[in-house]
Amino acid sequence: YTIETINQLVDEGMLFSYATARSYQTAKKVTQGLQAPFPLIVYNGACVRDNVSGEILLSHCFQEDIHLLLDHFLNNHLYPIVYAFIDGEEKFSFIPEKCTPGMLEFIESRKDDPRIRIIHHPKDFYVGQIFYVTLIDETDKLKPFYAYYQKQYHCLFQKDIYTNQQSVQVYNGYFMDGTDIGKGGTPYYA
């Protein structure tokens, strides 16, 4: 009923969009049938995509200083999931043998996702234009990193909605009200 109503209202001229922490792929699963041509704000505002075509309209990628954050994580034996545009395609990279149980559960929920990029060496985390970094691990391990980076980047410290495990998510982007808050990010236009 809601999808039909929104589609009808948009057909009648109503402007509509929504913002979510989800990726475009997971957002489309829960909004299947919503055909309104509008910009969809995903990854907590790190990316804006066309709802119908999926085209990337805007993405706030990190500058190379994100490599220092990755170095810090890796030097402390924290292996993230790194989201980046690689050769024009959205991918998320991880090292399976270094994943925590929570990360493996998260990845298993996306086993057929075309964005998956399995890597075997930490240097491969640095490939592409990085726009989002996620850690899923024990609260005591993650809390100091959240405290350290929350003033430098946009960080969320919360339970992952898919695994109920503690996560830290680091990104550049927009507030959910649409105002620009990029902190040193580089816009990426496809």
Side-chain angles (χ1 to χ4, degrees):
Y1 171 79
T2 302
I3 299 289
E4 291 175 15
T5 302
I6 292 171
N7 284 337
Q8 179 182 349
L9 290 170
V10 169
D11 287 345
E12 294 171 5
M14 181 184 83
L15 298 177
F16 176 82
S17 186
Y18 67 92
T20 180
R22 296 174 181 262
S23 68
Y24 174 77
Q25 288 76 5
T26 57
K28 291 301 285 184
K29 289 179 184 177
V30 298
T31 61
Q32 189 172 8
L34 191 58
Q35 294 301 316
F38 57 82
L40 172 59
I41 301 165
V42 293
Y43 289 112
N44 288 313
C47 293
V48 180
R49 298 184 78 151
D50 181 271
N51 179 57
V52 177
S53 70
E55 175 188 356
I56 301 163
L57 304 174
L58 174 67
S59 180
H60 285 270
C61 297
F62 291 106
Q63 295 178 2
E64 288 196 20
D65 65 334
I66 195 66
H67 294 180
L68 297 175
L69 175 137
L70 292 175
D71 291 345
H72 192 193
F73 287 169
L74 295 169
N75 289 337
N76 285 278
H77 308 287
L78 293 170
Y79 294 85
I81 300 171
V82 176
Y83 296 79
F85 295 107
I86 300 171
D87 297 326
E89 293 185 26
E90 181 185 332
K91 297 289 182 184
F92 65 88
S93 303
F94 58 94
I95 300 175
E97 56 272 16
K98 299 291 188 180
C99 287
T100 63
M103 289 172 67
L104 290 172
E105 186 179 342
F106 175 86
I107 291 162
E108 178 63 24
S109 72
R110 286 154 176 75
K111 64 183 173 186
D112 296 324
D113 194 317
R115 298 172 299 150
I116 289 175
R117 179 175 175 259
I118 296 172
I119 61 174
H120 298 287
H121 195 280
K123 69 176 174 50
D124 294 326
F125 280 126
Y126 301 83
V127 173
Q129 295 175 290
I130 300 168
F131 65 90
Y132 211 92
V133 178
T134 299
L135 291 169
I136 302 173
D137 209 324
E138 297 171 17
T139 301
D140 293 342
K141 288 183 182 179
L142 299 181
K143 196 169 190 173
F145 291 92
Y146 169 73
Y148 185 82
Y149 286 108
Q150 70 176 332
K151 291 182 179 155
Q152 185 176 356
Y153 298 106
H154 300 293
C155 296
L156 292 177
F157 184 71
Q158 64 185 21
K159 296 281 185 179
D160 177 69
I161 63 171
Y162 302 100
T163 66
N164 203 34
Q165 300 291 316
Q166 188 64 50
S167 74
V168 170
Q169 300 169 38
V170 183
Y171 60 96
N172 278 324
Y174 290 89
F175 278 124
M176 289 307 206
D177 69 1
T179 57
D180 186 8
I181 59 166
K183 289 185 180 177
T186 302
Y188 169 83
Y189 297 92

